[in-house]
Amino acid sequence: GRVFFAEQQGREAPGTPWRLGAIGVAEWAGVRLCEILDRAGLKEKAGWVMVEGLDAVRMRRPLPLWKAREEDTILATGMNGRPLPPDHGFPARIVVPGWAAVASVKWVGRLVVSEGPLYWPWNTAKYVMTGGRWGSRREPIGAQVPKSAIELPWPATLRRGRQTLTGRSWSGGAAIARVEYALDGDPQWRPTQLVGTNLPGAWTCWRFAWNARPGTHELRIRAT
């Protein structure tokens, strides 16, 4: 959603101008990062783990030790039943479920453990929240909020009459409990039908029927 900083906030964000297409769901294979850390013999004062990539910019993203030790934070070597592809971080990458993708560093070269916080551009200048209620503070982006995507181009032209609209919702914290929609500023939210699997850390699909009338319409989606 990076492009919306310019369209909604009037402040362009550097990098690839993604809208809502930069998301996928995969099945990962690897080893729990906590097992690697335990075998390394951490000191009791250890508090942070920094993952460093072998790409040209030497991507570095520090993680608090509690997140690095969570059961589903893994050093992944496989994706969808095959060895990790080069563009997804071969031979190994970190996968940090529920957090912004910047935490899932590709092409891992080394892990650095420290007692105190570590500071690099990716948690001080990039991928941070600042201004507004944060003031001058720069808070690194971690856990993701629930999000939804309608499976339509933007803007979309549809035929008139009854049809089924579909989309996907996902959350950084848990499986999706419900998805609702509202049309044309209506304050009443109506339920969609959830379909298919609904797993924590992955999207779930939904659909609803709509009797489309000629004209321009606004569709809002919210997921819980």
Side-chain angles (χ1 to χ4, degrees):
R2 184 177 291 150
V3 72
F4 297 114
F5 280 96
E7 294 185 358
Q8 297 185 7
Q9 308 297 327
R11 182 177 178 181
E12 186 172 341
T16 305
W18 296 111
R19 281 185 177 271
L20 294 178
I23 180 171
V25 167
E27 184 179 81
W28 305 99
V31 61
R32 292 183 177 92
L33 185 57
C34 64
E35 295 182 13
I36 297 174
L37 297 173
D38 287 342
R39 292 193 182 194
L42 297 187
K43 296 179 180 179
E44 292 185 2
K45 294 183 179 180
W48 291 81
V49 176
M50 184 175 70
V51 185
E52 180 179 321
L54 294 175
D55 53 332
V57 298
R58 283 295 196 268
M59 173 74 182
R60 300 174 178 92
R61 175 67 180 201
L63 295 172
L65 183 62
W66 67 265
K67 185 63 181 178
R69 292 189 59 85
E70 283 195 339
E71 188 174 79
D72 57 357
T73 298
I74 68 170
L75 183 68
T77 56
M79 178 180 176
N80 293 334
R82 298 182 178 182
L84 200 60
D87 58 343
H88 284 282
F90 177 87
R93 70 176 295 173
I94 295 293
V95 174
V96 186
W99 277 37
V102 65
S104 295
V105 176
K106 300 178 182 178
W107 311 292
V108 172
R110 66 173 183 156
L111 305 172
V112 177
V113 179
S114 71
E115 295 180 1
L118 295 165
Y119 301 104
W120 292 94
W122 291 277
N123 68 339
T124 59
K126 304 176 182 180
Y127 300 97
V128 297
M129 301 301 293
T130 188
R133 64 185 177 91
W134 291 276
S136 60
R137 186 164 55 93
R138 291 174 175 264
E139 181 69 25
I141 295 176
Q144 289 288 281
V145 299
K147 296 181 181 180
S148 299
I150 305 166
E151 294 176 328
L152 291 171
W154 189 350
T157 300
L158 305 176
R159 69 183 187 279
R160 66 183 299 171
R162 189 173 179 82
Q163 55 201 289
T164 299
L165 298 185
T166 62
R168 304 173 190 231
S169 297
W170 59 98
S171 166
I176 296 297
R178 64 181 180 275
V179 180
E180 300 164 295
Y181 72 96
L183 287 163
D184 298 329
D186 189 341
Q188 180 180 358
W189 292 88
R190 296 176 170 84
T192 68
Q193 178 186 2
L194 302 185
V195 294
T197 57
N198 186 5
L199 300 174
W203 58 42
T204 187
C205 299
W206 45 263
R207 64 190 178 197
F208 66 92
W210 181 42
N211 189 21
R213 304 182 311 277
T216 300
H217 300 276
E218 177 191 71
L219 171 62
R220 292 182 294 156
I221 300 291
R222 70 180 184 185
T224 301

